[in-house]
Amino acid sequence: KVPAGAGAAALTDDPEVAQPCGEGWLARHFHRPVVQLYSEIGSGDWLDVAFMILTAVATPAVFATLPFAWARLTYAGGAITLAVMMAASYYSSLLLCGLHTWNVTIRHCRYRDLAFSIWGRKGWTIVLAIQQLACIGNNVGVQLAAALCVKDLSEQSGGSAAKISLAAWLAVFGAIQILLSQLPTMKQLRHLNFLALLSMITFVVLTSVLSVKNGRELQRMGDGADPPEHVLIEGTRSRTALRTFSAMGVIANSLANRAMPEFQSLTKPPAVANGKKAVHLVYTVLASCYFTIAATGYWAFGNSASQLIIISLFPETGVAVKVLDCLVIAHALLNWQAYARITYEVLDYILVDPLDGDLMTWRNSLARLAGSVVYTLTISFVAAMLPDAYDEISVVTGCLGFIPLDVVMPLLLWVAVMKPNKARRIAHHVMAFFWIVIGILIVVGSVAGVVYDFDANSFFANISPDEELGQTGGA
């Protein structure tokens, strides 16, 4: 029998009260109380939430692709697309924060449980499926980008390390993640999130400075070098459309949150006010960093901007590039964990014995170890199998994480709860329809890109960063 109070956290000003939260069908289906978030609910302030969101969203492995996206859209197209998507995400995040305690007495600390409280079993199932796919896809792309950066470092160092394959580096990254996964909750990781924020800002500043420096050098070069081009890439209509939708997916992936209610659950009451303060800070940082790195990277390299901007930097900046590689790897470790926890919690329902009363008993520790090993091996295997599909993985993940979870569902959930006037209700439905169409086009473009490049791709390829992430906006 589920203990009294399981599935809901009463609103309280006492931060020491640690209760499960969210009216979860899964808990009742397995007749088990919530375990994973017991020690986290209401235990932090709004800065903890902001740092956690920034760690999950703004990883260099993702937003370093923005100049590449702008290279397919030009200045105007890239800036407008990024601004519109960021504004839509900001508005929907505020709506989602306001629904955290929509029925006054319960804190809905999981996205799927919030959907369940409003739409019933259908909403719970939709969110669970999309959220898991988006989080898994994110981790495949992030792990692949981190392994490519490690391989880049090893090739720069020379010697025997340069001969280590990409699959081996993926395995090393996975082994580290298995160790980090044994920490029982995200609470043990959140103290590192401020350092992750500093590493993100350092990455943006250093990359932007180096991009401007390299751009000026390109402009001073003689007749033997062409200046960077900043025009729409020529090609057939179908290929141009494919590049456009792919670039939109890359931008969407850089803004995808996927787990706003889970992160908001960390804050003390008043949860709604603190959650909105966190959102304001998050999007201030995102706007400052994203437009800076996108504009400077595209200005410096134009249509030749690589898929990961640090690959475009001149070899003469070797030490700085090594630092940037290290920042990508360090941030990827925490970003991977933030989204793995969404899947781990579902596994805990199935594997962990709640009667032990402690996640760290021998029985529960072994069960969680088995679950994390299977999950990590699956992510590592997919990343090793599809190294050439990094671009498509990023696009699809961005579409799954951003369009339905960050934009469409908050609009519709807010209308279902708040019952606004007719004008605002119609506006929300129109915006939801618009973004659904955009999402479909992005997915179609991504699938078409996979088909278009199928002959050039190979499974389990031992690619180098210059081969994969060196692909330019014109490719």
Side-chain angles (χ1 to χ4, degrees), residues 277-364:
K277 287 166 65 176
V279 169
H280 296 324
L281 176 60
V282 165
Y283 282 88
T284 300
V285 174
L286 290 183
S288 303
C289 293
Y290 281 19
F291 280 97
T292 299
I293 196 170
T296 56
Y298 181 52
W299 173 84
F301 303 104
N303 294 347
S304 63
S306 298
Q307 192 169 346
L308 196 63
I309 191 60
I310 59 178
I311 305 300
S312 293
L313 299 177
F314 290 177
E316 290 76 9
T317 57
V319 175
V321 172
K322 289 179 181 179
V323 173
L324 293 175
D325 280 332
C326 291
L327 291 174
V328 171
I329 296 164
H331 206 288
L333 289 170
L334 290 175
N335 177 272
W336 196 99
Q337 278 294 315
Y339 287 121
R341 298 289 165 165
I342 307 300
T343 302
Y344 288 165
E345 190 195 5
V346 176
L347 294 177
D348 284 349
Y349 277 111
I350 302 171
L351 300 176
V352 170
D353 183 4
L355 298 180
D356 285 348
D358 185 1
L359 284 174
M360 301 306 292
T361 62
W362 277 106
R363 190 268 181 205
N364 287 345

Side-chain angles (χ1 to χ4, degrees), residues 124-135:
W124 184 94
T125 304
I126 292 173
V127 170
L128 178 67
I130 296 176
Q131 192 178 48
Q132 293 301 323
L133 287 173
C135 291

Side-chain angles (χ1 to χ4, degrees), residues 419-439:
K419 302 294 191 298
N421 57 50
K422 184 176 181 180
R424 193 166 184 182
R425 185 170 66 252
I426 292 175
H428 274 215
H429 282 96
V430 169
M431 286 189 290
F433 177 77
F434 169 79
W435 286 109
I436 289 173
V437 172
I438 293 297

Side-chain angles (χ1 to χ4, degrees), residues 34 48 53 89 102 104 142-143 162 180 214 252 267 272 293 343 348 361 369 391 424 445-446 448 451:
V34 178
D48 291 320
I53 296 173
S89 178
W102 71 268
V104 182
V142 166
Q143 182 165 343
L180 291 176
N214 289 177
T267 186
V272 172
I293 196 170
T343 302
D348 284 349
T361 62
L369 175 62
D391 184 21
R424 193 166 184 182
S446 177
V451 174

